[in-house]
Amino acid sequence: MKFSEIPYVRPDFAAAKVFYAAAAGRLRAASGFAAAEAVFLEAEEFAAGLETALAVAEIRRDMDTRDPFYAGESAFIDRLRPELREYEQLFEDALLATPFRAEFEAKYGRMMFTGAEISRRAFTGALVAPMQRENALCSEYSRLLASAQIPFEGGACTLSQLTPFKRDPSRERRAAAWAAEDAWYASHAERLDSLYAELVELRGGMGRTLGHAGFIPLGYDLMGRSCYGPGEVARFRAAVLEHVVPAAERACAIAAERLGLRLPIGYADSDVWFAGGNAKPAGSSGQILAAARRFYHELSGETAEFIDFMLDGGYLDVLSRPGKASGGYCTSLPSLGAPFIFANFSGTSGDVDVMTHEAGHAFAAYTARNIVPLACRSPGYEACEVHSIGMEYFAEAWAGAFFGEAADRYRWQHLAAALAFIPYGALVDHFQHECYRRPDMTPARRNALWLELQQAYMPWLKPEAELGYLASGRAWQRQRHIYQYPLYYIDYCLAQAVALQFARLISEEGPAAAWRRYMAYARPGGTRSFLELVALAGLRSPFDPAALEQTAAWVLSRLEASAP
Ligand SMILES: [Zn+2]
């Protein structure tokens, strides 16, 4: 069925409440596994139908924000959906209490209970009020950043509109863009300090309400982490400092030499890899879509089927047009087994990312579309980023189709940026752990801490004295995860450490052999933990310092051998 032909029926929330309450009762009363399983499967189908209707309403609202019908449906859903949670929880409690757990685990895997248990222990009624306050503070942060109208070259730019100018081939122009951004942030610095101070205090209190010493254990539960804790993450960061930082510094030195500079460099030169500017896609949006179809067709039978399904069924909407919502996401329509990609092409290399990174997420969802239960179709955040970042490396062999003559430069900058990203991500993570560990730090102490940690993780970077805001140690305030998704970020580093192993396999054993391992990783969906998936693909744990050392050395040797 094409996306445009999917019938939309308004969800009946009153009937859904009755359904979940009754299903919870029937599950508790089930006298054998067969009876309990029948109720469970009925609830699965019900949930899939409901989630599909919600996703269709959301996508159609975003495809045309001027359509009053779907705007109304969305408002209706936003109003009534939260009330259903309590009834879904009744059913989840009945499932967690089932005497047939061993039979369920034997048939559907143990992760169906693991996830539910983690989310259960991360919540109690006493957290509702602080969570509402937390939402209000996060919304204020998000509104503040979205409200930016930064004077630049006679016009006004949002923060994202300013981004391409910060990487402009002309040094003067990008320095002006960084200065404009710096001035805007400086005028909001104190509010950004105090917003985070309140969030840290609030989250610490939430952790203590649950019996923890502070926020960190709750933060790990909120991220759904089931196979590692803060100790493993701290050792990973130590290995990043030892093995990745020196390699990344060398890559930055190569790029700086091209710009006629020596390390340390300032922000204005930190995101530019070539004197003539970074690689840009060669063609129109139509050519990017055609290149994507070719890439997925040539990569494997599974990806060929996937891209035809997406393109021919209209399960992606990526072209910008009047009335369309901004931004992008990948969602899914569970009862149809279909992912959906929503994006706005902008003529930058971000457009290629939509067709490699976002489509990597969509491919994994498509591959896992028949897994029961629904909650196990997708693994944790760090594991999902391997689907997407890994797919970026498979696409490198087709970089010519996306980037034309800039293909070699693209491959170099892609690898160098991946290497330099890991220390940055570890820095963001280290900073957050320290903030939650020492909630009594003043804003000034927090900013000083950022500067100290930045010096250790990114020694190649020295903020320009004239960028007063960044030089004051507040660069972390631009990273929205720190405010909105606490302790989420190391996930990208762990995923990169695994995805780079795919990059190495592709180059050493060829795409076909590497692809079999990618499928071994993707096929189980979320029925296995992150580290189990890594092992199933025959890859090494990102927590193994020797594996990280080898990965960093391999990336650096590639960068030194091919200097376009
Ligand atoms: Zn992603």
Side-chain angles (χ1 to χ4, degrees):
M1 192 188 299
K2 284 185 190 285
F3 179 76
S4 58
E5 294 161 3
I6 299 172
Y8 170 76
V9 181
R10 171 182 271 206
D12 183 343
F13 288 106
K17 288 178 185 173
V18 172
F19 172 84
Y20 279 114
R26 284 188 292 137
L27 185 59
R28 285 188 191 271
S31 55
F33 174 62
E37 187 189 25
V39 180
F40 162 71
L41 291 175
E42 216 184 297
E44 280 284 304
E45 201 183 315
F46 188 87
L50 181 67
E51 291 305 320
T52 302
L54 303 187
V56 168
E58 183 198 15
I59 295 164
R60 290 193 180 148
R61 175 202 62 193
D62 291 345
M63 288 172 94
D64 184 1
T65 55
R66 297 169 302 191
D67 177 345
F69 176 76
Y70 284 107
E73 289 304 294
S74 271
F76 168 80
I77 290 166
D78 287 347
R79 208 166 57 243
L80 294 179
R81 176 79 179 88
E83 290 178 16
L84 190 58
R85 293 263 180 246
E86 194 185 326
Y87 293 84
E88 290 168 322
Q89 204 99 65
L90 283 179
F91 184 77
E92 198 175 72
D93 285 345
L95 194 60
L96 281 172
T98 183
F100 309 110
R101 179 167 176 153
E103 289 91 334
F104 273 111
E105 286 191 345
K107 191 156 177 184
Y108 300 104
R110 98 196 130 70
M111 290 302 280
M112 69 176 277
F113 292 102
T114 306
E117 274 168 353
I118 293 175
S119 65
R120 221 62 191 97
R121 73 172 182 240
F123 182 78
T124 164
L127 292 189
V128 171
M131 281 164 73
Q132 283 166 341
R133 179 69 187 147
E134 184 187 26
N135 279 339
L137 294 168
C138 290
S139 305
E140 183 184 339
Y141 172 82
S142 172
R143 273 198 313 274
L144 178 62
L145 264 61
S147 74
Q149 285 293 320
I150 303 170
F152 188 68
E153 295 186 347
C157 283
T158 62
L159 285 163
S160 61
Q161 285 168 339
L162 200 60
T163 302
F165 298 115
K166 288 157 55 188
R167 297 173 191 152
D168 197 89
S170 151
R171 185 168 198 292
E172 203 180 326
R173 199 177 192 203
R174 62 182 187 258
W178 278 96
E181 188 194 89
D182 195 81
W184 184 84
Y185 274 110
S187 67
H188 297 284
E190 274 158 34
R191 184 59 189 139
L192 289 167
D193 282 345
S194 65
L195 266 177
Y196 193 60
E198 192 181 339
L199 279 168
V200 168
E201 194 184 308
L202 195 60
R203 288 172 179 152
M206 288 162 69
R208 287 192 298 278
T209 298
L210 288 169
H212 303 300
F215 175 67
I216 293 172
L218 169 60
Y220 275 63
D221 281 347
L222 291 172
M223 290 300 302
R225 290 173 183 157
S226 69
C227 58
Y228 59 93
E232 283 89 349
V233 171
R235 283 193 290 279
F236 173 77
R237 291 193 308 258
V240 168
L241 280 172
E242 190 177 348
H243 304 301
V244 185
V245 168
E249 186 170 29
R250 177 71 197 117
C252 290
I254 297 173
E257 274 164 41
R258 292 192 190 116
L259 304 182
L261 302 168
R262 282 169 177 277
L263 300 185
I265 50 172
Y267 277 96
D269 299 308
S270 64
D271 208 7
V272 180
W273 301 102
F274 299 96
N278 294 343
K280 286 201 180 71
S284 62
S285 45
Q287 283 165 297
I288 290 176
L289 289 172
R293 195 187 295 253
R294 194 184 130 199
F295 156 52
Y296 286 109
H297 266 258
E298 292 175 7
L299 177 62
S300 75
E302 293 95 348
T303 46
E305 180 195 313
F306 156 75
I307 200 68
D308 288 345
F309 175 87
M310 298 296 284
L311 291 170
D312 299 343
Y315 286 96
L316 85 187
D317 180 355
V318 297
L319 304 182
S320 302
R321 57 175 183 274
K324 191 173 161 180
S326 63
Y329 53 83
C330 174
T331 185
S332 66
L333 309 164
S335 60
L336 297 160
F340 193 98
I341 297 175
F342 184 90
N344 281 281
F345 274 7
S346 61
T348 68
S349 64
D351 298 352
V352 176
D353 296 341
V354 169
M355 296 315 300
T356 59
H357 184 105
E358 293 305 326
H361 286 305
F363 173 72
Y366 182 78
T367 301
R369 67 191 179 279
N370 294 320
I371 289 178
V372 177
L374 284 174
C376 290
R377 286 190 186 167
S378 172
Y381 299 98
E382 71 292 83
C384 285
E385 288 306 314
V386 176
H387 297 142
S388 52
I389 303 174
M391 192 66 90
E392 294 174 26
Y393 292 117
F394 282 98
E396 279 198 351
W398 285 264
F402 290 109
F403 289 92
E405 287 179 353
D408 284 337
R409 280 194 293 143
Y410 168 74
R411 278 186 281 257
W412 199 94
Q413 91 187 29
H414 187 214
L415 213 49
L419 190 64
F421 172 79
I422 296 176
Y424 172 71
L427 160 65
V428 167
D429 182 70
H430 196 151
F431 176 74
Q432 293 186 77
H433 278 82
E434 285 301 310
C435 289
Y436 291 116
R437 215 167 56 76
R438 293 147 62 190
D440 48 342
M441 276 194 287
T442 60
R445 181 68 200 101
R446 237 175 246 135
N447 298 332
L449 170 71
W450 174 268
L451 285 181
E452 286 161 31
L453 291 173
Q454 180 175 271
Q455 177 59 32
Y457 284 95
M458 304 174 77
W460 57 86
L461 182 66
K462 188 172 187 298
E464 293 90 331
E466 59 271 29
L467 301 181
Y469 169 83
L470 291 172
S472 74
R474 290 183 169 100
W476 58 272
Q477 297 178 342
R478 303 173 312 145
Q479 188 60 60
R480 61 177 60 233
H481 298 69
I482 294 177
Y483 289 80
Q484 296 178 300
Y485 312 104
L487 300 179
Y488 179 28
Y489 213 66
I490 199 67
D491 301 66
Y492 296 110
C493 303
L494 297 172
Q496 189 63 261
V498 176
L500 282 168
Q501 295 182 57
F502 277 117
R504 183 173 184 177
L505 282 169
I506 294 164
S507 106
E508 291 179 353
E509 296 177 15
W515 183 253
R516 283 193 288 278
R517 303 234 216 165
Y518 182 96
M519 286 305 296
Y521 181 96
R523 219 176 263 119
T527 60
R528 302 298 189 97
S529 74
F530 171 50
L531 294 178
E532 285 171 339
L533 294 172
V534 170
L536 278 174
L539 301 174
R540 292 173 72 180
S541 165
F543 297 112
D544 173 356
L548 194 62
E549 180 179 10
Q550 285 179 15
T551 300
W554 175 78
V555 173
L556 184 58
S557 71
R558 296 276 295 180
L559 292 173
E560 285 178 325
S562 66

